[in-house]
Amino acid sequence: LHCQAEQTCRQLVRTQEEHERLLQAAVEQAEGLEHNLRSAEAVLAERAAQLKDTQAQLSRNKLLIKDLREENRGFAVALQAAELKQKSTEEKNQLLEEQASALKQLIGKITPASLSG
């Protein structure tokens, strides 16, 4: 009976030691998982900050694009006005050239008549 009790006691000690090893392994695994979780949270926080910065930059870029479009519309209106003015100037220039040609012809006709007269 005494031998059986000692054997049972040794068996219980081995079982307890095995449970302690398993418990220690589980604790180490939990600590590793907790470390991994903290690392993942830090990476996510960094990515969230990067996304926030990117979103702010996109908002600024949208405003710049809007301003550039408005400025381009202004330039297009100014260009159209300049083209109309150029066309008008070319038409006036053409008319003046025609008038100058007519005056030269008239002077050409008047000059020989006045010299011979």
Side-chain angles (χ1 to χ4, degrees):
L1 185 65
H2 182 64
C3 281
Q4 192 177 9
E6 284 181 9
Q7 188 179 7
T8 303
C9 186
R10 283 192 299 272
Q11 178 87 24
L12 285 172
V13 168
R14 283 193 301 269
T15 303
Q16 184 177 358
E17 288 172 353
E18 180 62 24
H19 284 169
E20 286 175 2
R21 280 193 295 274
L22 289 172
L23 179 61
Q24 183 62 33
V27 166
E28 290 173 4
Q29 184 180 13
E31 288 172 352
L33 290 172
E34 189 175 335
H35 174 74
N36 290 344
L37 179 61
R38 283 194 198 110
S39 296
E41 286 174 342
V43 168
L44 286 174
E46 183 180 338
R47 293 290 167 95
Q50 288 174 350
L51 287 173
K52 188 175 179 181
D53 291 345
T54 302
Q55 187 176 13
Q57 184 63 42
L58 284 173
S59 295
R60 288 190 295 269
N61 289 347
K62 283 182 181 180
L63 289 175
L64 287 174
I65 288 170
K66 182 182 175 187
D67 290 346
L68 287 174
R69 284 183 177 155
E70 290 176 13
E71 192 174 341
N72 281 346
R73 276 193 286 276
F75 287 145
V77 169
L79 178 62
Q80 188 177 17
E83 288 172 344
L84 288 173
K85 188 172 182 178
Q86 181 182 0
K87 185 178 179 183
S88 173
T89 302
E90 288 173 355
E91 289 172 354
K92 287 178 184 177
N93 191 32
Q94 179 66 32
L95 183 61
L96 287 173
E97 286 178 5
E98 290 171 3
Q99 289 175 350
S101 177
L103 281 173
K104 282 182 185 178
Q105 289 176 358
L106 185 60
I107 291 172
K109 290 179 182 178
I110 293 174
T111 303
S114 63
L115 291 177
S116 62

